Amino acid sequence: MMTRPCDMLPPVRGTLTRDAPLKDLVWFRAGGPAEVLFRPADIDDLAGFIAARPADLRISVIGVGSNLLVRDGGIPGVVVRLSSAFGKIETIGTRVRAGAAALDGAVARAAADAGIAGLEFLRGVPGTIGGALRMNAGCYGREIKDIFVEATAIDGNGNEIRLSSVAMDFEYRKARGAGEDLIFVEALFEGTRDEPSAVRARMDELSGTREASQPIKSKTGGSTFKNPPGQKAWQLIDEAGCRGLMVGGAQVSPKHTNFLINTADATAADLEALGEEVRRRVKENSGIALEWEIKRVGVP
């Protein structure tokens, strides 16, 4: 019998769970399991595991799955999901230090309580800081790059490294310098001083706008496609006649057409097929090829 990489995992202080369901860990509430799910106890536990793992072991990372589609066959290898130990938030002057597992909204609230302006947009970004770093997340005219100071990550050899803004090489919805082998564990952001009440008021306004225009109470994965240069993805989708379009249990949101929703029991295959049909219709109607913003992982 052949030995597989997942049969030779190094010891950890956190937890290793085999054939771990991921469906309830992602916002779409669809998709298959992780071959192994690793919840590291802390940074040293994560770094030690990465350093000692079999060389051919595949490593994937998920946060709260707000912008993620896990395919129905699941994710082979080890899936890392950071524990609450990676979710600490600290404010120092006009700076905010946040663990990669901290929710973006929680970071925005902590900044507001400390009278730090400039991070309000994070209240409208679903997910965690780790995912926000990798995709230069943003909304309402602001992005991670606008507040970024530095990030700490574990590289593919288990080394702890720091990345500057130059090293991250941010562009629209992407950090070009963040290699796939990096696992972010912490970030440092900087804002400006303002009255907490004023920061909260702006944050509440953004939150209200988002709730009024997006299907945030549905099983969704956030914005499905990137906005093409000079265009709005939702408008292109609407003009292609896709509002309310369905494949199985998956639907283009009638409220905001750049959102796909799981209406009941959609499979990941339903959701991906619907997204591809939307791309086909938009291309046919406008000549523009939409690019996925949602990250699709795993095997069909």
Side-chain angles (χ1 to χ4, degrees), residues 222-297:
S223 295
T224 306
F225 303 106
K226 298 178 182 180
N227 287 324
Q231 302 281 346
K232 295 184 182 300
W234 76 264
Q235 191 169 27
L236 294 169
I237 295 167
D238 208 17
E239 290 171 352
C242 296
R243 185 178 293 268
L245 181 67
M246 295 191 71
V247 171
Q251 183 182 39
V252 174
S253 170
K255 190 172 189 178
H256 191 307
T257 54
N258 199 23
F259 284 69
L260 303 184
I261 57 176
N262 179 354
T263 61
D265 56 355
T267 63
D270 289 340
L271 290 157
E272 189 164 14
L274 177 58
E276 288 300 324
E277 176 61 16
V278 168
R279 292 182 72 241
R280 186 192 69 78
R281 293 192 184 196
V282 168
K283 177 69 172 178
E284 184 178 83
N285 183 68
S286 66
I288 295 174
L290 291 177
E291 183 180 347
W292 283 87
E293 182 171 319
I294 287 175
K295 185 176 181 181
R296 296 161 294 155
V297 297

Side-chain angles (χ1 to χ4, degrees), residues 112 115-117 120 194-205:
I116 302 172
E120 295 93 327
D194 200 354
E195 288 298 320
S197 58
V199 180
R200 291 193 195 99
R202 289 193 296 271
M203 194 167 67
D204 290 344
E205 183 179 356

Side-chain angles (χ1 to χ4, degrees), residues 177-237:
E180 289 298 320
D181 65 329
L182 294 183
I183 301 177
F184 291 110
V185 293
E186 188 179 82
L188 182 64
F189 304 119
E190 183 156 22
T192 57
R193 180 62 62 196
D194 200 354
E195 288 298 320
S197 58
V199 180
R200 291 193 195 99
R202 289 193 296 271
M203 194 167 67
D204 290 344
E205 183 179 356
L206 290 177
S207 181
T209 299
R210 176 171 175 257
E211 186 169 349
S213 63
Q214 299 176 8
I216 60 175
K217 296 182 180 180
S218 301
K219 292 181 285 187
T220 184
S223 295
T224 306
F225 303 106
K226 298 178 182 180
N227 287 324
Q231 302 281 346
K232 295 184 182 300
W234 76 264
Q235 191 169 27
L236 294 169
I237 295 167

Side-chain angles (χ1 to χ4, degrees), residues 133-134 153 161-171 174-182 184:
L133 288 170
R134 185 161 290 283
I161 64 171
R162 283 186 169 78
L163 296 96
S164 66
S165 183
V166 171
M168 290 288 282
D169 193 13
F170 289 115
E171 63 177 34
K174 188 175 183 179
R176 291 174 58 88
E180 289 298 320
D181 65 329
L182 294 183
F184 291 110

